Amino acid sequence: CFLVEGAKSVLELLDSDFELVTLLGTSDFLSTLNGPMKSELIEVSVKELEGLGDFQTNDTALAIARQKPNMPIQVLPDEFALVLDDIRDPGNLGTIIRTADWFGIQKIVVSTETADFYNSKVITASMGSFTRTEIFYTHLEEFLSATTLKVFGAYLSGSNVHKTDFGTGGLIVMGNESKGISPSLEKYITDKITIPRCGKAESLNAAIATAIICDNIRR
């Protein structure tokens, strides 16, 4: 099981296909819910909530839900999916999930070293977008070697992302926050892309870089 904290994320959870186990909420929050609930409901005070979860700012609700099995993802030729190589920071992963959801990308394939999807910081940073995301943990070499899709990889040098023709579908590979894409994956990258640097910063945050690339895909 995993925890979901805060009114927005809990409401998104209740409207999803995740199995809810237990819901803890203040009387004000519970009074806003419509229809019968199959799960256990527990009324708690704001002070009790602050001591239960990871975030002391939570003053409305906390839910316990059941994790989904790790299932393979099929990416169709006319859609885009993200491939995340060793994204270690939970906040980055959650923000990438939220960003992908904004741009209509619902499938994310990640390396086994990537932060846990069900980490509370990932869930919180996704702001409810975790409920609309298919995520699959796997060995990326095995996954990429089997695809027939175009594979775009984010590098410090490559084709200008502002001038790249992404077509109607493909895989977008984003690398580790400090090391970039693993050398073992380079042979599977069909198109190296880069975000042109105009200033002197050494690198971009992984989530910010993903957002810029997603925006250019949709243009």
Side-chain angles (χ1 to χ4, degrees):
C1 293
F2 67 105
L3 291 179
V4 180
E5 300 181 55
K8 175 174 172 45
S9 293
V10 169
L11 288 173
E12 294 267 22
L13 176 73
L14 296 180
D15 197 35
S16 74
D17 60 354
F18 276 96
E19 180 187 347
L20 180 67
V21 178
T22 302
L23 175 60
L24 301 92
T26 61
S27 58
D28 287 344
F29 179 82
L30 295 179
S31 67
T32 65
L33 302 181
N34 298 318
M37 301 288 291
K38 296 180 181 179
S39 62
E40 179 184 25
L41 295 181
I42 302 174
E43 185 176 320
V44 291
S45 67
V46 172
K47 187 174 181 180
E48 286 172 321
L49 266 183
E50 290 174 347
L52 286 172
D54 291 334
F55 303 99
Q56 294 183 347
T57 54
N58 179 22
D59 59 0
T60 49
L62 180 149
I64 301 170
R66 202 170 300 283
Q67 297 181 11
K68 293 180 179 179
N70 185 42
M71 301 294 290
I73 288 175
Q74 181 183 8
V75 183
L76 302 177
D78 60 348
E79 65 180 348
F80 289 98
L82 293 180
V83 177
L84 306 182
D85 177 26
D86 196 18
I87 299 294
R88 297 292 181 100
D89 184 86
N92 272 344
L93 178 57
T95 303
I96 288 172
I97 291 168
R98 182 181 179 184
T99 300
D101 186 25
W102 177 269
F103 286 103
I105 297 173
Q106 297 176 322
K107 297 177 180 179
I108 303 179
V109 180
V110 300
S111 67
T112 53
E113 301 84 8
T114 293
D116 181 12
F117 176 70
Y118 294 105
N119 181 302
S120 59
K121 291 182 179 178
V122 175
I123 297 298
T124 300
S126 78
M127 292 296 289
S129 290
F130 74 92
T131 62
R132 291 178 292 276
T133 300
E134 290 183 65
I135 194 159
F136 174 47
Y137 282 79
T138 189
H139 296 288
L140 295 187
E141 271 202 81
E142 184 178 322
F143 177 81
L144 292 176
S145 66
T147 188
T148 57
L149 301 174
K150 268 195 167 187
V151 181
F152 300 89
Y155 285 87
L156 288 177
S157 59
S159 298
N160 185 334
V161 71
H162 302 145
K163 299 177 181 179
T164 299
D165 180 4
F166 287 95
T168 59
L171 304 176
I172 312 298
V173 183
M174 304 300 299
N176 175 271
E177 288 91 346
S178 59
K179 300 176 183 177
I181 296 172
S182 300
S184 61
L185 301 182
E186 188 172 359
K187 59 180 173 287
Y188 303 112
I189 305 297
T190 60
D191 296 77
K192 290 185 177 181
I193 56 175
T194 191
I195 300 167
R197 177 173 59 181
C198 303
K200 297 183 178 180
E202 184 182 30
S203 62
L204 276 174
N205 170 275
I208 295 294
T210 303
I212 293 170
I213 291 172
C214 286
D215 177 65
N216 279 275
I217 287 172
R218 293 311 187 195
R219 287 189 190 195

